[in-house]
Amino acid sequence: MTVDPTMTMRTPDAPAPEAFTDPAAAVARLRDLYDGAVRFLSDNFQAVLGGDMPDGRYRAYYPEVRLTTTTYATADSRLAFGHVVEPGTYATTVTRPDLFANYLEQQISLLLENHGVPVVVGVSETPMPVHFAVANDDDVTVPHGGAMEFPLRDYFDVPDLATTNDDIVNGTGFTYPDGARPLAPFTAQRVDYSLARLSHYTATHAEHFQNHVLFTNYQFYVQEFEAYAREVLADPDSGYTSFVSTGNVEITDPKADFPVPAKMPQMPTYHLKRPGGGGITLVNIGVGPSNAKTATDHIAVLRPHAWLMVGHCAGLRNSQRLGDFVLAHAYLREDAVLDADLPVWVPIPPLAEIQVALESAVADVTKLQGYELKRIMRTGTVATLDNRNWELREHEGPVQRLSQSRAVALDMESATIAANGFRFRVPYGTLLCVSDKPLHGELKLPGMASAFYKTQVAAHLMIGIRAMERLREMPLERIHSRKLRSFEETAFL
């Protein structure tokens, strides 16, 4: 971005960088710096909207956390995060420290513990776009290009896609302008971009999202989720405190009604909340790998503890019945949407903690154990395609690949969600319910659902919930497996 060198640059006052050994104090300073930058940009922008002509360029910067160490960490070798890989200088820009306060405090605490040196908090060299500074003020809207008497970018910084990317998580090489290596998987501007997208696609604010996320491609599960939410809200011992629906409508009374939204978002999202984000979020992503990638691209910046796909699939084996479950332990990726970010030759491994939680949840809900459980559940490869009507094509190619891969089920989302979980270091898993068997003459048509199928669908969401409740009880360091980490990783989750 070019700036007229003769234009006066106006920036907010900010304290000099300061070293901290108290994580809570470090986060408090981050909040002060961030809030000051937002106030400065918001106040000056509203003055301009009110008719005041700019008398200079207004610029504020994201705050940052920085660590410099000359020694290797003394961390527990079982820990997949919380330390940098080697001596050097590491940094991350920070946005919304109010939203990420617990996360930041936890990650900074691990750095202090594992490296024995303070972190430095100060102002970064990354400008804050005015769009993101005013994003949380419902009364302020940034006009579109050409709607103002002057080009907005001449006086305020605007989003810069050159610095809003996934270079860190993709491992393609990233350093800050001064040579510091990344301390966290996302830069502040990348996070702000996703927070804005989340609000658009889900019609709920980011602060409502919980640490355990269920994805589905079937509206029936939304109805079941709301019914379960009302049930647990009526139980004072459940630990759940409120339920949030589309449009940020939040209820604590299990009998309260939700207003009918004037317009449904592309991905209706619902949040059953517990203190500390320990509840469950359900996202109806609809159909297709593009939707699955979009949702996970943006939810990933919230650093959830796990996400699971609980949707419908085509059963590929004659021995399967409609309503049977499929627990994915491998994926045939023919979705194509992630090929540029994560090559198809990259294996997507099953995560033991997730697999055990899902299988034990199936056993709990169905009351079947051991060998008997195999009557209604298969563990195997799930194939994900990007063509919903693949059955209409000549079958020799697709069916041969499905057979060679030993796939037992086919859908349009699961491999995408798992692969993006692998890419973003978010624990992932898949439990599907067979809704049709196209290779065996049982197509997804009205009236074909049996009583067994309807019973299993009703139980399916509950299995996902039970699995998440099991994962919630696990220590964080156990869920975030070393399988998800590479040779050189960021210290922050």
Side-chain angles (χ1 to χ4, degrees), residues 116-131:
V117 294
V119 296
V120 176
V121 175
V123 173
S124 75
E125 297 180 1
T126 303
M128 181 184 296
V130 67
H131 299 70

Side-chain angles (χ1 to χ4, degrees), residues 179-442:
R181 294 158 70 179
L183 195 57
F186 300 104
T187 61
Q189 191 165 170
R190 170 65 171 84
V191 174
D192 269 336
Y193 169 77
S194 279
L195 296 182
R197 295 289 80 200
L198 276 180
S199 179
H200 171 73
Y201 284 116
T202 72
T204 55
H205 293 322
E207 49 263 38
H208 292 309
F209 276 78
Q210 301 297 286
N211 287 326
H212 308 88
V213 182
L214 293 173
F215 297 106
T216 188
N217 54 11
Y218 190 29
Q219 176 63 24
F220 175 79
Y221 291 158
V222 172
Q223 301 163 8
E224 290 291 299
F225 191 57
E226 179 177 340
Y228 176 76
R230 293 181 183 278
E231 179 183 324
V232 294
L233 287 181
D235 178 5
D237 298 324
S238 70
Y240 293 103
T241 56
S242 65
F243 184 61
V244 179
S245 181
T246 297
N248 299 297
V249 179
E250 187 166 6
I251 65 169
T252 57
D253 180 357
K255 297 181 180 180
D257 292 327
F258 283 119
V260 178
K263 182 177 69 172
M264 290 296 287
Q266 183 173 341
M267 299 178 189
T269 300
Y270 307 84
H271 314 275
L272 180 55
K273 298 172 71 173
R274 286 173 66 100
I280 300 171
T281 288
L282 176 72
V283 186
N284 183 1
I285 58 175
V287 175
S290 181
N291 279 1
K293 180 181 184 297
T294 297
T296 49
D297 275 351
H298 301 313
I299 292 174
V301 305
L302 300 176
R303 310 314 295 145
H305 295 168
W307 62 39
L308 305 177
M309 178 64 186
V310 285
H312 282 188
C313 68
L316 300 179
R317 303 300 177 90
N318 193 42
S319 58
Q320 291 171 304
R321 294 180 296 171
L322 301 190
D324 277 355
F325 299 122
V326 175
L327 175 60
H329 76 172
Y331 300 89
L332 174 61
R333 291 174 52 200
E334 297 200 348
D335 52 311
V337 299
L338 278 170
D339 291 0
D341 294 304
L342 193 71
V344 293
W345 52 259
V346 175
I348 310 299
L351 304 180
E353 294 77 12
I354 303 290
Q355 300 297 96
V356 170
L358 280 168
E359 183 169 348
S360 60
V362 175
D364 280 357
V365 173
T366 64
K367 309 303 181 186
L368 298 175
Q369 299 287 336
Y371 192 63
E372 288 299 306
L373 195 59
K374 293 180 179 291
R375 294 182 184 275
I376 63 164
M377 186 181 79
R378 293 192 67 141
T379 301
T381 297
V382 170
T384 292
L385 275 65
D386 59 358
N387 178 9
R388 176 62 188 86
N389 298 314
W390 66 276
E391 304 101 317
L392 302 181
R393 297 188 60 190
E394 188 277 319
H395 282 186
E396 182 177 347
V399 173
Q400 182 179 355
R401 290 197 302 276
L402 292 172
S403 177
Q404 289 176 327
S405 70
R406 310 299 191 267
V408 298
L410 181 150
D411 78 345
M412 296 187 68
E413 300 86 24
S414 292
T416 312
I417 288 170
N420 239 7
F422 182 85
R423 183 165 76 104
F424 291 129
R425 288 74 164 172
V426 176
Y428 53 84
T430 300
L431 183 77
L432 302 175
C433 185
V434 175
S435 61
D436 61 332
K437 295 169 58 183
L439 296 181
H440 308 285
E442 294 190 64

